[in-house]
Amino acid sequence: MPSRRSMLGRLAVAAGIGVAGCTTGSPPGLPLDSNPHSVPSRQFAQRDVLRRDADGNPLQARHRRVLLLDLQRDPSEGAAETVERALRTVEAAYDWAPDGLFHALAWGSTYFDDNGALGRVPIEHPEVLTRTDDEELQRFDAMLVLESDVPSHLPAAESALFGSREEVNGEPVDHTLDGVFRRRDRRTGFLGEGLPDEHVDVEGLEADAPMFSGFFSGREGSQASEDRVAIDDGPLAGGTTAHLSHITFDLPQWFSLDEASRVGKMFSPEFSTEDVAELTTNVPFADEVREHAREHGSVGHHEKVARVRRDGEPLVLRRDFNTVDDGRTGVHFLSYQRELAHFRRTRKSMNGWYLRDDHPDITDRENNGILNFITTQSRANFVVPPREKRAFPLTIT
């Protein structure tokens, strides 16, 4: 049987494709020259094209849509060609930029398990990571992430990909994902200055707040780099892993606290509102969580998470966003990391179980960062292959 590489090479020739650029160079076996726009081999690569705030922090796309998918066809060259052609239509229609469309096709633990490949990728089926929440452990075949500053681009791209329109942004739609995938769930949301206030009416939430918490969490120094989260070697080198959690956030309870108390719970009991206002591209922390627990009987969210670093750099690249799905305020926590173990380490540090013996006031929830205000509803795990292997990775070779 011809390989997927040769099959896609024939597809390129049949389409009359010329040579075009790629922001990371042409991936082996899949020249991305069917696209009038440059697209990176890393599906999660955005940093170089994002807008920046006054301090130089990258600003992620303001609107998000995540489609959770089940397969309706077995892996095959025909199914791979359909997926590839459909995604290339979207790539032709929009620039790889915030005012265009970012998109990533990830594959879930069910897909790898069903095809005997779960042991070959750095993820597992999701597991419970808290002792207080009734977490639904979800398994999907795939996940499609759509991101843009232009909200209308998201439904347009979805309807094009699933066969509800004949053209998208001027590009004819000749191939769709419909018939290969079934949409089981959809997650929607937003991130950016002023958007939370447009979606909820909660006393205490400032009009220009970028997140429901009221704080900006995208400082460059508190994020892993794209290089840090990329898989180094093996058949999926240049890809990454993804974790998706749905977390609800009790905003009325959160904003019943005064600002100083919210700062202490989000950052550290030794942080002041003035300290937060002076932050630029990083949130500096000494590893003094246990000392703070003993002295204050309380610790901050960020100082717990900051303990999980390698060579001074976080291990997780967050692409989380606010949501009001199902009429509940919360966060869809989407993160990228080289291996899922890095997410688990970060979440376990955030749990703060190791602090309960340092002060009687600290419990699994109380005085333990923001844990008393959030509840994890669900979890799911995925692999994000490099673009040239995004259609049925490890099964179509």
Side-chain angles (χ1 to χ4, degrees):
M1 179 177 291
S3 70
R4 177 173 180 270
R5 177 175 296 183
S6 63
M7 179 271 292
L8 287 169
R10 294 197 304 273
L11 172 61
V13 172
I17 295 168
V19 177
C22 171
T23 57
T24 58
S26 295
L30 179 56
L32 299 180
D33 37 5
S34 65
N35 299 298
H37 304 132
S38 293
V39 288
S41 175
R42 291 177 178 174
Q43 294 193 76
F44 57 93
Q46 301 178 4
R47 182 184 183 279
D48 290 344
V49 296
L50 291 177
R51 297 173 293 110
R52 299 273 169 162
D53 68 11
D55 294 316
N57 295 301
L59 298 175
Q60 298 176 32
R62 289 168 63 83
H63 302 280
R64 315 292 180 87
R65 184 170 294 207
V66 176
L67 306 178
L68 296 160
L69 310 172
D70 292 330
L71 275 170
Q72 293 187 295
R73 292 175 62 179
D74 292 333
S76 68
E77 289 191 359
E81 179 177 340
T82 297
V83 169
E84 193 59 41
R85 283 182 176 271
L87 292 175
R88 289 188 181 201
T89 297
V90 169
E91 286 167 355
Y94 298 104
D95 285 326
W96 188 260
D99 60 355
L101 184 74
F102 297 125
H103 57 282
L105 180 63
W107 294 80
S109 58
T110 293
Y111 164 79
F112 291 106
D113 198 11
D114 287 352
N115 289 283
L118 192 57
R120 298 173 60 195
V121 294
I123 67 165
E124 307 82 29
H125 291 306
E127 61 184 69
V128 173
L129 295 177
T130 75
R131 291 195 287 229
T132 57
D133 302 343
D134 184 17
E135 305 175 24
E136 181 182 356
L137 304 180
Q138 299 181 324
R139 302 180 183 183
F140 300 95
D141 284 313
M143 169 179 70
L144 181 64
V145 181
L146 305 173
E147 307 174 56
S148 181
D149 280 350
V150 183
S152 61
H153 286 356
L154 305 184
E158 180 181 353
S159 60
L161 286 167
F162 285 90
S164 299
R165 58 193 304 154
E166 296 181 353
E167 64 85 25
V168 57
N169 206 30
E171 288 291 323
V173 175
D174 297 320
H175 302 274
T176 74
L177 300 179
D178 198 33
V180 177
F181 294 110
R182 177 183 68 86
R183 289 168 287 183
R184 196 203 309 177
D185 198 3
R186 180 190 292 106
R187 312 281 169 85
T188 66
F190 45 90
L191 175 70
E193 189 172 295
L195 291 178
D197 186 60
E198 292 180 12
H199 288 80
V200 298
D201 182 14
V202 177
E203 185 176 354
L205 178 65
E206 295 183 2
D208 60 351
M211 295 287 290
F212 280 145
S213 66
F215 299 109
F216 175 60
S217 65
R219 292 180 177 84
E220 190 163 35
S222 66
Q223 290 271 51
S225 67
E226 291 172 350
D227 286 341
R228 170 68 75 183
V229 304
I231 296 171
D232 277 334
D233 51 30
L236 297 178
T240 189
T241 75
H243 178 80
L244 180 68
S245 306
H246 180 196
I247 302 172
T248 51
F249 195 162
D250 188 342
L251 293 192
Q253 184 184 10
W254 175 246
F255 283 105
S256 71
L257 304 178
D258 59 33
E259 185 176 6
S261 297
R262 296 197 302 272
V263 166
K265 292 185 179 298
M266 182 59 72
F267 294 94
S268 156
E270 295 196 346
F271 262 54
S272 68
T273 56
E274 291 76 19
D275 292 331
V276 174
E278 293 174 0
L279 295 175
T280 56
T281 59
N282 206 351
V283 183
F285 286 114
D287 187 3
E288 298 177 348
V289 178
R290 305 201 75 151
E291 290 83 348
H292 291 167
R294 297 182 190 114
E295 181 178 351
H296 300 281
S298 179
V299 295
H301 167 74
H302 280 302
E303 66 174 335
K304 290 184 295 176
V305 173
R307 301 179 78 230
V308 184
R309 296 195 172 202
R310 183 171 294 171
D311 301 324
E313 185 180 348
L315 301 180
V316 170
L317 174 59
R318 291 175 286 105
R319 295 272 170 81
D320 50 313
F321 54 96
N322 311 284
T323 186
V324 289
D325 283 351
D326 304 320
R328 297 184 294 179
T329 54
V331 172
H332 289 308
F333 190 91
L334 175 63
S335 68
Y336 296 132
Q337 49 280 312
R338 182 170 296 165
E339 55 188 79
L340 199 65
H342 292 166
F343 172 81
R344 290 196 300 268
R345 285 177 56 193
T346 302
R347 174 66 212 211
K348 289 178 180 179
S349 187
M350 172 182 159
N351 286 341
W353 297 338
Y354 50 92
L355 299 169
R356 293 176 306 162
D357 293 336
D358 291 325
H359 199 286
D361 289 347
I362 298 177
T363 71
D364 283 354
R365 283 190 177 274
E366 297 288 341
N367 301 307
N368 198 340
I370 62 173
L371 293 178
N372 203 34
F373 307 90
I374 64 172
T375 303
T376 303
Q377 304 294 329
S378 64
R379 299 190 181 279
N381 297 331
F382 303 87
V383 170
V384 187
R387 190 175 308 277
E388 62 270 23
K389 298 180 179 179
R390 65 184 168 186
F392 296 94
L394 302 186
T395 58
I396 304 298
T397 59

